[in-house]
Every structure is written in structure tokens, then in C-alpha cells.
């Protein structure tokens, strides 16, 4: 256990506590929210350190009493038995955590090969994440979507936000960061007249939502085009050029939005997605430059690889990275994702404790 790191983090906790008590901080809601998130991240560490310190002090006192009165020996042994678990908990909290864990996310879902069936499956994934968010008390917002003819989605961007400051700094990203990758479905499509099982897929990308302070964008690096919004099958749904396409010239990243009625609103939504993508690019570059940096989902998962299979005939969901299988596909698609997400979180925790950051996302 690094005493220097512990001391530094406890000093940071004390400083943040002072800042939060200063009314001046709350005149800037963005800064107050960032300070509050960081403070929430350190609360469990502060509590664990306090409990361990108290237990050690109690043990010293109990042993001193036991030296004078043997009846206190059992109490001393009982206190001593609690120390290993407290020390392990504190050691776990001292492991550098994912810096984005407290952040909200933008989930992008894209239909893959498979035509309408893939688009229908992408729509299923959209509903799955939306219902999971509802279970967690999170707020969802469809930033942009391209619907398919049969009610699926070809491409959708969904913002998911926690309400207030997340407990322990465990925001939306801390739960959904492993969802990025190719999701495969095996079922009989509604378009299949012979009753044959088909396999199709949809791609999911989860991005921590960037704030203005996270990413600096030079307006001169942007090429902004406007065009007319269209609905399923190319049907025009707008008679004005309100849709916006933004190209970030240095990286070649292209983002478009057409859901809103005004050009200004679509531009603001497109900028949200662009900031999130640029933050992910910046993190990829930072991880590449630091070989010992902990790599999170967006940086380590090869999005060309299948991460999960949803098998309808067997009512089975399988996560291939950790060998997780459960026969509750209907519940999972209904938003009950805690089983697989808890398994991924536990695999990640074990990997970090073992010093193997790639284990949870192999």
C-alpha cells in the first residue's frame, strides 16, 4: 500500500471538501459539478482509510487492556481479524481508477451487414440500453437517429446521463464502458418465410461525454455543411436545409445530425458527439504513449471483433471476453443487464488487482 499516494489523495479530499463549502464555487455549475464528481470518487477512499485507522487504534487499546485484564484478549483478537479485509479494501481503492468513471456517455449503435434484420436488432439494443438506464434512474436522450423502413434503426446516437453527482464517482461510463464492440444476434428474422435462423450484427461504440474543458476545438479546423433532413428510405421530412454535417479536418472525423428542427440545434448536437469522439482519440494517443496506462473499453476492444452473442432459440446471452453465459436473453433485452455487467466489472477488478489490465476485455 503506497502511504505517499494515500496521503496525497486524503489531502486532495480535504481540499475538495473546503472548495465545496465555498459558495463562490457554485456560481459556476460546470466547475461545481466536476469538483463534486471528484469529491464523490474520493469519499469511499476517505471512509475506508478512516475505518482502518480506527480499527488499528482500537486494536492497540484492546491489547493494552488485555495486558492488564485477560478478558479483553478475545476482543483484541476479534478486532485483529477485521484488519486484513479493511487493508484489502483500501488497497483496492488505491489502484488508479479509470479517469472517466464518473462521466456520462454517448452510445452509438450502427446496423451492420444483414439489411433490415440488422437494423431491427440495432433497435433492440437501443431499447435494451434505454430500459437499463430507466432501471438505474438515468436520463436518456436520442441525439440523432436514422430509422429503417421496418421500425429498426440504421444509426443512432443516445446520450445517457446520471442525475446529480454519482455515488462513489461511479457514473454511467463505469457501468457501460465494456459495451463497445460487435454484438451478434442469432434468430429467425421477421423477413424470413422459411423459418431459418440467421446471424446478423450491430456495432456499439460507447464514448465518455466530453465537457468543454476536456477538449479544445479550433473553429478553423471545422468544415460545416448543411443539407436537407430525410426519413426512412430517403423520404424527405424537412423542406429546409436544417441537417448539419461537421468534419474535423485534422482527424477526418465526420459527424452529422438531423433530428432537430433547426440548424443551430443540430449543430449543437453534432458538436456534442464530436467532442466525445475527440476525447476518445486523445485518450487513445495518451494510452499509446504510456505503455503502463490502464486501458479502458474504447481503447482496448477491437471493434471488428464479436464481443457478445444473443441467441434467441436458446434464450441465451454470451459474453465472449469473459466466458459469461446466461439463459435470460428476454430479461437482458428488457433492460436487466446487471448480471453480465457485474461479471465484467468483477473481471476488471480482479485484473487490476493482478496487474493485468487487459484481462476483463480479452
Amino acid at each position: 500500500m503506497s502511504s505517499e499516494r494515500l496521503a496525497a489523495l486524503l489531502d486532495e479530499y480535504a481540499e475538495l471538501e473546503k472548495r465545496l463549502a465555498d459558495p463562490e464555487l457554485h456560481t459556476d455549475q460546470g466547475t461545481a459539478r466536476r469538483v463534486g464528481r471528484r469529491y464523490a470518487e474520493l469519499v469511499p477512499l476517505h471512509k475506508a482509510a478512516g475505518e482502518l485507522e480506527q480499527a488499528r487504534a482500537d486494536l492497540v487499546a484492546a491489547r493494552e487492556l488485555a495486558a492488564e485484564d485477560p478478558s479483553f484478549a478475545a476482543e483484541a483478537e476479534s478486532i485483529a481479524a477485521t484488519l486484513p479485509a479493511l487493508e484489502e479494501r483500501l488497497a483496492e481503492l488505491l489502484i488508479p481508477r479509470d479517469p472517466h468513471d464518473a462521466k456520462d456517455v454517448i452510445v452509438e449503435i450502427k446496423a451492420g451487414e444483414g439489411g433490415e434484420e440488422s437494423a431491427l436488432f440495432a433497435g433492440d439494443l437501443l431499447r435494451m440500453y434505454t430500459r437499463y438506464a430507466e432501471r438505474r434512474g438515468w436520463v436518456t436522450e436520442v441525439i440523432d437517429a436514422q430509422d429503417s423502413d421496418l421500425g429498426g434503426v440504421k444509426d443512432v446516437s443516445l446520450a445517457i446521463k446520471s442525475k446529480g453527482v454519482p455515488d462513489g464517482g461511479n457514473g454511467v461510463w463505469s457501468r457501460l464502458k465494456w459495451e463497445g464492440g460487435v454484438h451478434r444476434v442469432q434468430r429467425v428474422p421477421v423477413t424470413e418465410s422459411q423459418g431459418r435462423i440467421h446471424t446478423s450484427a450491430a456495432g456499439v461504440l460507447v464514448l465518455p461525454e466530453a465537457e468543454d474543458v476536456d477538449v479544445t476545438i479550433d473553429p478553423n479546423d471545422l468544415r460545416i455543411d448543411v443539407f436537407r433532413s430525410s426519413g426512412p428510405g430517403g423520404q424527405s421530412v424537412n423542406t429546409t436545409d436544417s441537417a448539419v454535417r461537421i468534419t474535423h479536418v485534422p482527424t477526418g472525423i465526420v459527424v452529422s445530425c438531423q433530428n432537430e428542427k433547426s440548424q443551430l440545434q443540430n449543430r449543437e448536437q453534432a458538436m456534442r458527439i464530436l467532442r466525445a469522439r475527440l476525447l476518445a482519440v486523445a485518450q487513445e494517443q495518451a494510452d499509446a504513449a504510456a505503455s503502463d496506462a490502464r486501458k479502458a473499453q474504447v481503447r482496448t476492444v477491437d471493434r471488428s471483433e464479436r464481443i457478445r452473442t444473443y441467441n434467441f432459440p436458446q434464450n441465451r446471452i454470451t459474453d465472449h471476453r469473459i466466458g459469461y453465459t446466461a439463459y435470460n436473453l428476454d430479461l437482458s433485452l428488457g433492460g436487466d443487464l446487471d448480471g453480465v455487467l457485474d461479471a465484467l466489472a468483477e473481471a476488471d477488478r480482479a485484473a487490476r488487482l493482478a496487474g493485468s489490465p487487459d484481462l476483463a476485455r480479452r
Side-chain angles (χ1 to χ4, degrees), residues 226-264:
V226 295
F227 57 98
R228 186 162 299 176
S229 301
S230 61
Q235 179 183 3
S236 176
V237 296
N238 200 323
T239 58
T240 62
D241 292 335
S242 61
V244 173
R245 180 185 300 109
I246 299 179
T247 302
H248 186 251
V249 177
T251 61
I253 295 174
V254 179
V255 177
S256 62
C257 277
Q258 61 177 12
N259 263 30
E260 305 296 338
K261 294 182 179 179
S262 78
Q263 188 180 121
L264 177 60

Side-chain angles (χ1 to χ4, degrees), residues 134-329:
E134 292 171 353
R135 284 170 169 262
R136 303 285 298 194
W138 296 334
V139 178
T140 60
E141 173 194 2
V142 174
I143 299 176
D144 192 54
Q146 297 180 38
D147 298 330
S148 71
D149 292 331
L150 296 182
V153 290
K154 299 176 182 177
D155 191 345
V156 62
S157 296
L158 177 72
I160 306 179
K161 295 178 174 290
S162 58
K163 295 180 180 178
V165 176
D167 291 339
N170 296 313
V172 183
W173 172 261
S174 72
R175 291 298 286 173
L176 295 184
K177 59 186 172 183
W178 295 290
E179 291 302 287
V182 173
H183 294 239
R184 184 179 70 169
V185 62
Q186 296 171 325
R187 65 182 176 189
V188 178
V190 295
T191 55
E192 169 59 53
S193 59
Q194 303 296 321
R196 294 172 297 187
I197 296 174
H198 285 225
T199 298
S200 61
V204 175
L205 178 62
V206 184
L207 301 169
E209 181 154 13
E211 301 178 45
D212 290 340
V213 297
D214 295 326
V215 177
T216 300
I217 300 177
D218 185 343
N220 295 322
D221 289 339
L222 302 179
R223 185 172 71 245
I224 300 176
D225 302 303
V226 295
F227 57 98
R228 186 162 299 176
S229 301
S230 61
Q235 179 183 3
S236 176
V237 296
N238 200 323
T239 58
T240 62
D241 292 335
S242 61
V244 173
R245 180 185 300 109
I246 299 179
T247 302
H248 186 251
V249 177
T251 61
I253 295 174
V254 179
V255 177
S256 62
C257 277
Q258 61 177 12
N259 263 30
E260 305 296 338
K261 294 182 179 179
S262 78
Q263 188 180 121
L264 177 60
Q265 290 173 317
N266 280 320
R267 175 170 173 160
E268 290 175 349
Q269 298 288 48
M271 287 297 293
R272 286 177 65 185
I273 299 175
L274 178 61
R275 279 194 294 269
R277 291 191 184 178
L278 288 175
L279 178 62
V281 169
Q283 190 64 58
E284 286 176 358
Q285 294 171 344
D287 284 347
S291 59
D292 61 342
R294 175 170 180 246
K295 300 175 182 179
Q297 169 263 135
V298 169
R299 278 81 74 185
T300 60
V301 172
D302 180 349
R303 288 183 290 277
S304 68
E305 294 182 354
R306 175 192 69 210
I307 65 165
R308 190 174 298 155
T309 294
Y310 304 75
N311 184 294
F312 275 70
Q314 298 177 13
N315 195 37
R316 170 175 57 84
I317 178 172
T318 298
D319 194 287
H320 304 286
R321 294 163 294 181
I322 57 173
Y324 173 92
T325 293
Y327 293 88
N328 61 352
L329 174 58

